[in-house]
Structures are given as C-alpha cells and as structure tokens.
Amino acid sequence: MRVLAQRVSEASVRVDGDIVGQIGEGLLLLVCAMQGDDAAAVDKMAARVAKLRIFRDGDGRMNRALTETGGSALVVSQFTLAADLRSGNRPGFSQAAPPERGEALYLRFAESLRAQGIAVETGRFGADMKVSLLNDGPVTIWMDSADRA
C-alpha cells in the first residue's frame, strides 16, 4: 500500500460539485492499494499513519501523532500513486490493485483508522474528485508498505 500523507489545516473533496468529505486540522491521505496487498498490510499501514509524529508539540517540534491531537483524516483513493515511469514518459499503473480489490482495501484502511479512534472522512472511490487543501507546513510524507518488513 502506498500513502501520501499531508498535514493540513483543512481539506475537502468534491464530486460533481458536492462536498463528499471534509476535515479541519489533520491529515489528507492519498491512498493506493498495490498488487499483493492484503488486510494485514492495510492494517499495519493504518497503524503507522495513526502513530506518525508530524504534528507540533508545545515546543513547536514535530513530535505528536494524529491520535494525540484529536485531528481528523480525509482518505482519498489515488491509484496514480502506483505510476511506473521506467519505460518512458507515459506512466503505467499495472502495479495498482484491480479496482474491486483496491476499493475493498481502501475502505478497510479508512475503517482501520476509525478503529484507532480517528475521525475519518472519505472521497468516493473511482470518481472524478476535486481535492482542496490548505497544507500546513508544508509537511508531506511518502509511505510505502513495501519499504518496511
């Protein structure tokens, strides 16, 4: 699973002009399920995200996790995180999980975050979404479950 986490002051996602998900302070999480991902990998990634210490403490240092701040998460499916450019300038996406599997894992990721006490909003899987955010910092972190044993 690949996740691009952005610390935000606010974020929202629209589909056909209607807001389908919106948060204040927290994380905008762009999520891509990859070939071979399973429920265990998804749950581990959700736990890593929940414990990611990128929020300011009393001294202004990045030392607090989302679970400590009371912030929310906006989870948006983003299959283009699977882009492979090794063969040229046109990206290939064959390493992304097939849509039906990708959607199930995306929804599980959101539920796994909820199970850890995080308020979660989502986009709409497979839809043409318009994402707005006010990046805080900016702080943007790339995470890939393949990078960790």
Side-chain angles (χ1 to χ4, degrees), residues 16 53 58 79 90 98 110 114 143 149:
D16 296 327
R53 294 170 34 187
F79 82 94
R90 184 170 187 259
R114 284 185 186 105
M143 302 169 77

Side-chain angles (χ1 to χ4, degrees), residues 32-36 79 82-84 86 91-98:
C32 180
M34 304 293 288
Q35 293 280 350
F79 82 94
D84 181 354
R86 291 178 290 180
F93 302 104
S94 62
Q95 293 304 307

Side-chain angles (χ1 to χ4, degrees), residues 133-147:
L133 70 142
L134 183 56
N135 202 323
D136 179 18
V139 176
T140 303
I141 307 290
W142 167 262
M143 302 169 77
D144 191 324
S145 58
D147 293 339

Side-chain angles (χ1 to χ4, degrees), residues 33-48:
M34 304 293 288
Q35 293 280 350
D37 282 345
D38 60 13
V42 169
D43 292 344
K44 281 183 185 179
M45 182 61 83
R48 283 181 70 196

Side-chain angles (χ1 to χ4, degrees), residues 7 13 23 31 57-58 63 70 97 108-109 111 120 133 145 148:
R7 189 178 74 188
V13 61
I23 64 167
V31 176
D57 64 13
N63 204 26
R108 182 176 182 110
F109 178 80
E111 282 304 314
V120 176
L133 70 142
S145 58
R148 190 169 181 155

Side-chain angles (χ1 to χ4, degrees), residues 45-125:
M45 182 61 83
R48 283 181 70 196
V49 167
K51 295 173 187 171
L52 186 62
R53 294 170 34 187
I54 60 171
F55 293 91
R56 293 179 193 92
D57 64 13
D59 296 324
R61 296 181 54 203
M62 290 195 304
N63 204 26
R64 297 179 70 211
L66 189 60
T67 54
E68 299 171 282
T69 66
S72 303
L74 177 57
V75 180
V76 177
S77 61
Q78 179 89 34
F79 82 94
T80 60
L81 291 177
D84 181 354
L85 293 167
R86 291 178 290 180
S87 296
N89 294 322
R90 184 170 187 259
F93 302 104
S94 62
Q95 293 304 307
E100 59 282 349
R101 180 76 177 145
E103 182 175 17
L105 293 172
Y106 158 76
L107 293 172
R108 182 176 182 110
F109 178 80
E111 282 304 314
S112 187
L113 286 173
R114 284 185 186 105
Q116 294 177 64
I118 297 170
V120 176
E121 294 279 321
T122 63
R124 187 172 299 150
F125 188 90

